Amino acid sequence: MILTSLFAVAQKKYTISGYAKDVQNGETLIGATITVKGNSKGITSNQYGFYSITLLDGNYELICSYAGYQPKITEVKLDADQSLNFDLITRSALQEVVITAKKTDGNVKNAQMGKFVLPIEQIKAIPAFLGEVDLLKTIQLLPGVRNAGEGSAGIYVRGGGPDQNLIMLDDAIVYNTGHLFGFFSIFNSDAIKNVSLIKGGMPAQYGGRLSSVLDISMKEGNDKKFQVEGGIGLIASRISIQGPIKKNKASFIISARRTYIDALTKPFIKKTSQFYGSGYYFYDLNAKMNYKFSEKDRLYISGYFGRDVFNFVNGKRSLDVNIPWGNATGTVRYNHVFNKRLFGNTSFVFNNYNFSFQAAQSNFKIKLASGIRDVTLKQDFDLYPFTNHKIKFGGLYTYHKFTPSVVSGTQDTVVFKPQNPQAKFAHEAAVYLQDDWDVSYKIKINAGLRYSWFQQIGPYNIYTTDANGNRTDSTKFSSGQPVKTYGGLEPRFTLRYGINDETSIKASVTRNLQYIHLVSNSGSTLPTDLWVPSTYKVKPQISWLYAAGLFKNFNNNTFETSVELYYKSMQNQIEYEEGYTPNTLEDTEKFFTFGKGWSYGSEFFINKTKGRLTGWIGYTLSYTWRKFPALNFGEKYPAKYDRRHDLSVVALYELNKRWKLSATFVYGSGNATTLPQRFYIVNGVLTQEYSRINEYRLPAYHRLDFAGIYSPKKNEGRKWHSEWVFSVYNVYSRKNPYFIYFDQNGSAYDGSLKVQGKQVSLFPIIPAVTWNFKF
């Protein structure tokens, strides 16, 4: 016993660290798994492809694996600290029939709950609306996630609103994710490398939202050779160019997309038409570059700029309307490896969202503008102290500027500057610590603690008004002076217990605070919706999420299955007061009312990951409620995004080397809605009496989509190749309800008045063809 003890003390530990990369283009691989053969020890690479693992001295075989790549086995004689990079090769054409959506048994063995990682190639294979690949519409096909309505790119996760999702593009928060009034998302699939959704057990590094995290990473650019790819579709075209700035050391990628709806419709509008000059288009641009100073230091600079532009001209009435809106983000990140076990990342982020409405008629002009602007400094560290611990800690600071709907106008030489709502300013900060701990082979814990802080600052005025709304007094706060401060702890805890190699049980509890809010009258996110901060009147939203689930794999991990149960409570929810009508000259805070919400449900998931036929089935049974003292007579009512049943079926089939087929089917209970119940005639005018809030349901929503990808035989003498994508949206032309309105005909005076409810449906069957190319 003494000799054994002395031998154990004498053994030394050494660390192996490095990066997991794609050998063909040098892209780092996020979440690659590095395991020790014959041992349960292992680690996953971080957001920049870095890993670190500490072992006792000896001889080992390390295995690096990643979805869609050949695993790589490397023999290591560990007698000193070492650097080891894994350069992985994509699966060959002969092995493409074996498709792995995620790393083997990761859903069972990882402690993280409610996390989905979708490879961008899988997203591109799913049928797309009008041929435009849309990652947000793919996210809507997962259990626990539902769409905002027909054609909308907005997402609602486990009973939360559209503002309760933290959507980030290279660490920059995206406030409005929609093009074409929400029918398309702003994310160009050619520029995206990785998409990760977390809808339960949110890690402590994320905060500021109640429901979910959608973390999107852009490609870094090929550092081996120049590459061009793109596509031509029915309504839009796109192109991406990437290549080395300095081979194996620096690279770039530029990706652009633009619709040509305006160009297609222009020939059909005659110059003599009163509407000549009207049109709509959107465009976006993604750009990124990186420079590797050494194996320890790397710099990333990335940005996004996108705009929607809508013009309406009515020559007959001398009316010219211009409505542009969009996002701009910029991120500078610097990686530094302090030692084999400590990795650091410093980020500086700028993001700006703005909406503008400009109209001119004769000599009268009016302009309305709103938006939000952030500047963020963030520091994150990854620490690997022992093999069974991965610690992450850091902090961030953000300066916010919120611009409300500011109205101005001119008529001849007269300038109108009414008393607009004032801009609001705020500081936001947070620090966090989390530990991903392998307690034993059966037990894994992901525990974290986050402290967040928010402060509204001046310049700001608080006005006292009389019964008629006239300002009678005010309290003034100078620039930078604190107006109201909030803060709180946000604990995060997830426990995984492994029953055996194929089965595990997980449970989590999470507390979140949200300091900025989107208040909307519509069922989907629109560019006119306003983001508002927590103020002396508006308190931060608070939620507790409890979740538990059973995870089991079958047939050598070919089938992944899970059942998850959740309950979420939400405090300080915000709605407009009853009877509110938009008023740009008043601060919207005056018309807010506050209440609580809660949701609960069960999610069922079956995912086939291997073979020629892959895909998943997801079903959610859920309830989402709201209760406001000032609404619906103080009684609870279903939220507008409450959906009792939600079913998604996704199938991907590789027919042969030339053809890949895919189909999706979705079914959902009808949206909750408020409708007129009674009609009265008062002085000859038809008057409506509405039901209680969301007392009725629209008819059920269901739809089948289909797509086929044809890849012509490659010509060995050509450097480029292409593919044709044929897609059909709404195959059986289901007339899904978008909204219901009531039409009246006849007159109340002669008894011929008739009132009839009518349903509006947007999209019948829509075929589309897209040609993609790459060289």
Side-chain angles (χ1 to χ4, degrees):
M1 291 177 62
I2 293 173
L3 290 175
T4 303
S5 177
L6 289 174
F7 176 74
V9 172
Q11 280 190 291
K12 295 183 178 180
K13 291 183 177 182
Y14 298 103
T15 301
I16 305 172
S17 62
Y19 291 86
K21 297 184 292 183
D22 184 317
V23 70
Q24 293 178 307
N25 55 32
E27 289 272 358
T28 56
L29 302 177
I30 302 171
T33 305
I34 295 88
T35 56
V36 181
K37 188 175 181 178
N39 196 316
S40 63
K41 297 183 183 298
I43 201 74
T44 57
S45 60
N46 68 6
Q47 190 176 357
Y48 302 94
F50 179 82
Y51 78 94
S52 175
I53 186 169
T54 301
L55 302 166
L56 294 171
D57 58 355
N59 296 322
Y60 298 94
E61 285 188 347
L62 297 185
I63 305 170
C64 182
S65 58
Y66 191 72
Y69 287 76
Q70 293 276 23
K72 184 172 183 179
I73 302 176
T74 303
E75 294 184 0
V76 176
K77 182 180 180 181
L78 193 59
D79 53 9
D81 290 342
Q82 297 182 27
S83 293
L84 176 63
N85 293 333
F86 287 97
D87 295 319
L88 302 189
I89 303 172
T90 55
R91 298 183 186 275
S92 66
L94 294 176
Q95 295 170 313
E96 284 181 352
V97 295
V98 183
I99 300 172
T100 304
K102 299 187 219 176
K103 62 180 182 295
T104 304
D105 68 16
N107 65 312
V108 171
K109 294 192 173 179
N110 289 342
Q112 181 66 57
M113 281 192 70
K115 182 175 181 178
F116 294 91
V117 178
L118 293 176
I120 195 64
E121 294 306 319
Q122 189 178 40
I123 293 175
K124 288 182 176 181
I126 292 175
F129 176 59
L130 286 172
E132 284 299 299
V133 174
D134 197 323
L135 66 90
L136 288 189
K137 285 189 171 64
T138 303
I139 294 296
Q140 293 171 1
L141 299 172
L142 298 172
V145 184
R146 59 146 299 187
N147 61 10
E150 179 72 272
S152 174
I155 59 174
Y156 298 79
V157 179
R158 289 184 171 178
D163 65 321
Q164 294 177 359
N165 305 303
L166 179 64
I167 301 178
M168 300 190 302
L169 179 64
D170 270 4
D171 271 353
I173 296 175
V174 179
Y175 285 101
N176 187 288
T177 58
H179 281 311
L180 191 57
F181 300 96
F183 288 114
F184 298 102
S185 78
I186 67 169
F187 303 109
N188 184 348
S189 59
D190 287 345
I192 303 303
K193 176 171 70 172
N194 188 76
V195 180
S196 175
L197 172 72
I198 302 173
K199 58 185 178 69
M202 190 185 299
Q205 71 207 67
Y206 300 109
R209 299 294 187 274
L210 301 190
S211 292
S212 73
V213 175
L214 185 61
D215 198 344
I216 303 168
S217 299
M218 288 173 53
K219 292 179 179 177
E220 297 160 8
N222 194 323
D223 66 1
K224 309 293 184 184
K225 63 179 181 179
F226 283 95
Q227 182 178 319
V228 179
E229 62 181 314
I232 300 174
L234 290 182
I235 65 167
S237 290
R238 64 191 193 279
I239 188 168
S240 295
I241 303 172
Q242 58 180 312
I245 299 173
K246 188 175 182 179
K247 198 170 182 179
N248 298 324
K249 198 172 186 68
S251 61
F252 76 95
I253 180 171
I254 299 175
S255 187
R257 178 177 58 162
R258 190 194 192 278
T259 59
Y260 27 74
I261 303 174
D262 54 332
L264 293 175
T265 57
K266 191 174 182 179
F268 299 99
I269 304 177
K270 297 181 179 179
K271 291 185 178 181
T272 55
S273 170
Q274 62 178 333
F275 301 111
Y276 183 78
S278 300
Y280 166 82
Y281 63 92
F282 71 75
Y283 63 91
D284 40 41
L285 175 70
N286 295 79
K288 188 172 183 178
M289 66 82 64
N290 73 91
Y291 188 88
K292 184 170 71 174
F293 297 96
S294 67
E295 284 297 320
K296 291 188 174 183
D297 298 278
R298 176 172 286 189
L299 176 69
Y300 299 86
I301 301 176
S302 60
Y304 166 84
F305 183 81
R307 279 290 179 271
D308 288 67
V309 180
F310 175 67
N311 293 301
F312 176 76
V313 176
N314 188 329
K316 187 176 181 179
R317 298 189 177 184
S318 301
L319 178 64
D320 188 353
V321 177
N322 179 251
I323 309 176
W325 72 91
N327 299 274
T329 71
T331 305
V332 179
R333 294 185 287 186
Y334 185 77
N335 292 172
H336 179 66
V337 180
F338 291 90
N339 54 52
K340 300 291 183 181
R341 300 185 185 184
L342 181 61
F343 178 94
N345 177 69
T346 304
S347 301
F348 176 80
V349 183
F350 169 84
N351 58 328
N352 182 45
Y353 168 72
N354 60 71
F355 168 82
S356 178
F357 173 91
Q358 302 172 51
Q361 188 170 28
S362 300
N363 59 349
F364 176 75
K365 295 180 180 180
I366 188 171
K367 181 179 180 180
L368 181 147
S370 63
I372 179 172
R373 179 180 297 175
D374 293 344
V375 178
T376 301
L377 183 63
K378 184 179 179 183
Q379 180 66 56
D380 299 293
F381 295 97
D382 290 282
L383 177 64
Y384 306 82
F386 310 106
T387 302
N388 55 347
H389 285 273
K390 180 181 178 180
I391 296 175
K392 194 172 183 69
F393 61 97
L396 64 86
Y397 163 78
T398 301
Y399 177 77
H400 297 284
K401 179 183 179 181
F402 300 85
T403 304
S405 297
V406 178
V407 179
S408 61
T410 61
Q411 185 168 13
D412 294 328
T413 58
V414 180
V415 178
F416 301 97
K417 289 185 178 181
Q419 289 185 335
N420 286 294
Q422 54 195 316
K424 297 182 177 70
F425 304 87
H427 300 299
E428 184 173 3
V431 291
Y432 71 90
L433 172 66
Q434 72 175 37
D435 185 8
D436 202 352
W437 178 21
D438 293 356
V439 181
S440 65
Y441 179 74
K442 289 183 174 291
I443 299 176
K444 292 187 178 182
I445 292 175
N446 189 309
L449 185 63
R450 181 184 181 92
Y451 179 82
S452 58
W453 172 86
F454 189 91
Q455 184 178 76
Q456 181 194 4
I457 59 172
Y460 189 72
N461 298 328
I462 299 177
Y463 293 101
T464 304
T465 59
D466 58 22
N468 297 319
N470 299 314
R471 296 173 179 175
T472 58
D473 197 4
S474 66
T475 302
K476 295 186 177 182
F477 295 86
S478 59
S479 179
Q481 185 179 355
V483 178
K484 185 68 177 179
T485 302
Y486 298 100
L489 289 173
E490 302 176 44
R492 318 284 173 85
F493 183 83
T494 303
L495 172 67
R496 173 261 186 194
Y497 178 79
I499 298 174
N500 53 45
D501 286 342
E502 296 83 28
T503 311
S504 67
I505 299 173
K506 302 179 187 180
S508 68
V509 58
T510 307
R511 185 177 193 254
N512 290 78
L513 278 79
Q514 180 169 331
Y515 299 103
I516 61 176
H517 326 276
L518 182 69
V519 187
S520 172
N521 269 334
S522 65
S524 61
T525 56
L526 295 175
T528 52
D529 294 339
L530 287 179
W531 287 90
V532 297
S534 295
T535 64
Y536 75 101
K537 182 178 180 181
V538 181
K539 295 180 180 179
Q541 300 178 60
I542 304 172
S543 77
W544 281 96
L545 173 63
Y546 307 90
L550 173 66
F551 299 78
K552 184 171 180 59
N553 290 359
F554 296 92
N555 194 17
N556 193 27
N557 299 310
T558 298
F559 292 93
E560 300 176 348
T561 66
S562 65
V563 179
E564 293 187 57
L565 307 176
Y566 72 89
Y567 178 86
K568 179 164 63 176
S569 64
M570 295 168 280
Q571 302 296 322
N572 304 326
Q573 300 300 283
I574 305 173
E575 293 284 358
Y576 284 114
E577 63 184 24
E578 208 157 354
Y580 167 74
T581 55
N583 185 342
T584 58
L585 300 182
E586 295 282 355
D587 195 327
T588 52
E589 287 185 4
K590 295 177 60 176
F591 308 100
F592 291 165
T593 184
F594 305 95
K596 64 180 181 180
W598 63 98
S599 65
Y600 49 91
S602 54
E603 300 167 359
F604 302 84
F605 188 60
I606 302 173
N607 185 21
K608 187 174 185 294
T609 64
K610 300 177 183 178
R612 298 176 70 174
L613 174 65
T614 59
W616 67 82
I617 300 174
Y619 170 72
T620 304
L621 172 66
S622 62
Y623 298 79
T624 303
W625 301 96
R626 293 290 184 268
K627 188 173 183 180
F628 286 70
L631 299 177
N632 204 51
F633 304 100
E635 298 181 4
K636 73 173 184 178
Y637 60 90
K640 58 189 174 186
Y641 29 83
D642 172 70
R643 179 177 284 179
R644 196 69 63 244
H645 304 282
D646 202 0
L647 172 70
S648 298
V649 181
V650 178
L652 308 171
Y653 183 70
E654 187 155 357
L655 184 63
N656 51 47
K657 293 181 179 180
R658 300 285 176 267
W659 280 98
K660 296 179 182 178
L661 307 178
S662 62
T664 60
F665 174 76
V666 295
Y667 174 89
S669 301
N671 289 343
T673 187
T674 305
L675 296 174
Q677 281 184 318
R678 299 174 181 85
F679 296 88
Y680 302 96
I681 299 173
V682 181
N683 296 326
V685 178
L686 186 68
T687 304
Q688 304 174 357
E689 180 183 315
Y690 279 86
S691 68
R692 293 194 174 189
I693 297 176
N694 295 336
E695 189 173 348
Y696 291 95
R697 291 274 176 180
L698 295 178
Y701 180 97
H702 51 89
R703 191 189 77 243
L704 174 67
D705 303 332
F706 175 80
I709 301 176
Y710 174 69
S711 301
K713 185 177 180 180
K714 293 181 181 179
N715 188 330
E716 299 298 332
R718 288 191 312 205
K719 293 184 178 180
W720 64 278
H721 62 274
S722 64
E723 64 181 18
W724 290 90
V725 181
F726 305 91
S727 63
V728 182
Y729 180 88
N730 198 4
V731 171
Y732 53 85
S733 201
R734 161 72 174 175
K735 292 183 178 180
N736 286 302
Y738 191 66
F739 65 86
I740 291 177
Y741 73 98
F742 286 83
D743 193 18
Q744 64 183 64
N745 294 300
S747 171
Y749 293 103
D750 59 12
S752 63
L753 179 64
K754 293 182 179 180
V755 180
Q756 183 180 12
K758 294 186 177 181
Q759 174 182 305
V760 175
S761 301
L762 290 183
F763 303 115
I765 180 173
I766 301 177
V769 180
T770 304
W771 179 60
N772 296 327
F773 59 87
K774 186 175 184 180
F775 62 87

